Amino acid sequence: MAYTLPMRFRILHIISTHKDINRQELMNALQPEYGTEGQFKDSLVETHLASMRAVGMIEDTDISVDASNNLIQRFKITEYGQSRLAYLPKSWSQAHS
Amino acid sequence: MTQARAEDMQTAQKLSHAKKGLLFGVLSGATWGLDGVILGMALAMAPFTDGVSLYAGAMAGACMHDGFAGFWIFLYNLFTGRWKEYGRTLRTRPGMIVCIGALFGGPIGMTGYLLGINMAGASYSLAITAMYPAIGAILAVFILKEKITPRVWMGIATCIFGAIIVGWTPPDGGNYPNFYLGLAFSLMATFGWGMEGVLSTYGMDMADPDIAIGIREATSFVVYLVGIVPIVGGLTMFWGAFAQNAVWFMAAAGLAGGFSYVMWYRALNTTGVGRAMALNITYALWAIVFGYFLTDLQLTANLIGGACVITFGTILVVANPKELLNLRAN
């Protein structure tokens, strides 16, 4: 039976499967696996994204401001981030391929 | 216009993240200083003073400290809905890298530190081990490709120099037949602490820092309890402490230490190894502040001079948060 990845690792993996993705789309993708957990919060996901961007695993593709004056950022995985996907557990990768 | 507004908002968001990292680093140093003062009070109480061997009290105390710190961090992660992340992270290679980092920082670093003091004397050992931020920063440049500007290098060196001044005592002229071996153990501790920062930062690219530090403390506790405390004859002392008042001091030290470690791992992840370690070593300054208010610490010229040097070094390290927007040259 496939197990659940640590959420930060899963975020990197989800970003790698999209051309680019914003935080809300990412939350929607995480929801089935992590939606019932206390860590499933906008603020925590935003912190993960900020850290991953600072160390160069993801980068922005587009930024805009929505009608409610919220910053909307779209992210894609970098080559460096892609190299870190080598650490995905094989059993997990096989179950999700 | 809208695009310009978006760019301003994004820059503000990135800067806020970077400044938070610097704050985490300063808080890690401050609470580590408090932790050291409380731990010192606990180790001066029974049963830790009933010396079975030279190292029994220190190792039993270190074991208990990391155990309490790990327990408090687990409670924090439990109440923030992340307890399942422990098992998930341990099943990945980054999780195992964090565990190896824990061995470098906990048992290897601490054992080297104590053996160094015993074999070479406190003066040389403390001066060598205070250099761990420089070792960590050098390793981070090579392993993580971290970007560190000349001003930050200067800040790291200044903080180290200040910590050496604070801890310096003239060599006591004692007879140390294994002096050079003691220096080697001190270097081992310095390398261990530097390596811990780099390995855990590497692992935290894919692991939540609050979980990584929980794993680190648990790993360190188990290795102490199973592999080190029995060897130095400290098991009776360890269990005996639970029936003494020292346990409350240990629990308080573990709380301060746990908070400090959470802040340190977040700082490593947010500001990079070099800056986080330079800010962490400001504990030498904070230990003076807390020691003055909580114990009968006498302020000497060494302490005040060293504290001023550390403060100057810290200012050099945190001067320009904009450098933190991109930590590495990947």
Side-chain angles (χ1 to χ4, degrees):
Chain A
M1 184 182 149
Y3 56 89
T4 308
L5 282 179
M7 194 165 80
R8 185 179 282 204
F9 211 159
R10 186 71 171 118
I11 288 172
L12 183 68
H13 178 260
I14 290 172
I15 294 173
S16 77
T17 61
H18 291 71
K19 182 171 159 281
D20 62 2
I21 189 168
N22 69 28
R23 195 183 69 215
Q24 191 51 53
E25 292 162 353
L26 186 58
M27 291 293 284
N28 294 341
L30 290 168
Q31 210 277 334
E33 285 172 78
Y34 304 92
T36 59
E37 298 178 10
Q39 64 168 335
F40 184 68
K41 288 189 297 201
D42 268 338
S43 57
L44 192 58
V45 170
E46 187 161 317
T47 302
H48 286 318
L49 289 171
S51 291
M52 290 161 77
R53 176 171 56 194
V55 300
M57 295 206 300
I58 60 172
E59 62 189 8
D60 316 318
T61 57
D62 185 45
I63 52 170
S64 57
V65 179
D66 69 8
S68 312
N69 206 28
N70 296 314
L71 177 66
I72 307 294
Q73 304 173 88
R74 299 192 71 79
F75 302 97
K76 70 168 189 174
I77 193 165
T78 62
E79 206 175 308
Y80 176 64
Q82 200 79 43
S83 72
R84 293 308 184 85
L85 291 177
Y87 290 137
L88 276 175
K90 279 202 179 69
S91 56
W92 189 90
S93 300
Q94 282 161 1
H96 286 77
S97 61
Chain B
M1 187 65 184
T2 314
Q3 187 61 25
R5 168 98 183 113
E7 283 171 15
D8 285 348
M9 287 173 78
Q10 189 190 43
T11 303
Q13 190 195 59
K14 285 180 178 177
L15 264 178
S16 160
H17 183 72
K19 285 177 182 170
K20 250 190 246 173
L22 295 174
L23 178 66
F24 292 149
V26 172
L27 284 174
S28 84
T31 44
W32 195 246
L34 175 63
D35 175 37
V37 172
I38 303 173
L39 190 60
M41 293 159 88
L43 290 174
M45 302 168 85
F48 298 110
T49 47
D50 310 336
V52 180
S53 75
L54 193 59
Y55 307 108
M59 290 301 178
C63 177
M64 211 165 177
H65 171 272
D66 283 4
F68 271 118
F71 173 70
W72 296 125
I73 293 169
F74 179 77
L75 283 187
Y76 171 67
N77 285 325
L78 179 69
F79 287 117
T80 51
R82 286 181 283 185
W83 67 274
K84 288 181 184 170
E85 292 278 295
Y86 278 85
R88 293 169 186 164
T89 304
L90 279 170
R91 293 181 74 164
T92 65
R93 208 180 312 170
M96 294 319 293
I97 291 171
V98 169
C99 288
I100 295 168
L103 296 182
F104 272 105
I108 293 176
M110 187 54 76
T111 305
Y113 175 65
L114 291 174
L115 290 176
I117 288 177
N118 180 242
M119 293 182 184
S123 309
Y124 295 102
S125 184
L126 290 175
I128 290 172
T129 53
M131 286 191 285
Y132 77 88
I135 300 295
I138 291 167
L139 291 170
V141 167
F142 287 104
I143 297 175
L144 301 174
K145 298 187 172 59
E146 197 165 297
K147 292 189 284 188
I148 301 177
T149 63
R151 197 199 65 252
V152 174
W153 277 118
M154 182 77 86
I156 293 170
T158 309
C159 284
I160 290 170
F161 184 55
I164 292 172
I165 293 175
V166 167
W168 179 257
T169 50
D172 56 14
N175 183 25
Y176 296 109
N178 297 310
F179 180 76
Y180 291 104
L181 188 60
L183 294 188
F185 276 119
S186 302
L187 279 173
M188 183 178 96
T190 313
F191 179 76
W193 290 337
M195 201 64 191
E196 178 197 1
V198 175
L199 287 175
S200 57
T201 303
Y202 188 83
M204 282 187 290
D205 280 357
M206 286 144 291
D208 187 323
D210 294 358
I211 301 301
I213 186 56
I215 291 172
R216 184 260 187 239
E217 290 295 89
T219 306
S220 178
F221 168 68
V222 170
V223 173
Y224 272 126
L225 188 64
V226 176
I228 294 180
V229 175
I231 292 173
V232 295
L235 267 184
T236 310
M237 189 180 280
F238 175 83
W239 295 115
F242 284 94
Q244 307 263 5
N245 281 336
V247 72
W248 303 112
F249 283 81
M250 275 295 176
L255 185 61
F259 181 82
S260 173
Y261 260 115
V262 167
M263 292 296 117
W264 188 41
Y265 268 46
R266 284 186 186 180
L268 285 168
N269 185 236
T270 314
T271 71
V273 177
R275 290 174 194 80
M277 285 193 167
L279 296 175
N280 182 252
I281 203 172
T282 61
Y283 74 82
L285 159 70
W286 297 104
I288 298 169
V289 176
F290 291 117
Y292 181 75
F293 288 110
L294 297 177
T295 68
D296 55 357
L297 178 75
Q298 299 297 312
L299 295 180
T300 63
N302 262 28
L303 295 183
I304 295 169
C308 292
V309 173
I310 291 172
T311 305
F312 178 63
T314 306
I315 291 168
L316 287 176
V317 170
V318 304
N320 187 6
K322 283 187 179 170
E323 292 166 357
L324 299 173
L325 301 189
N326 294 297
L327 295 171
R328 300 183 197 163
N330 294 312

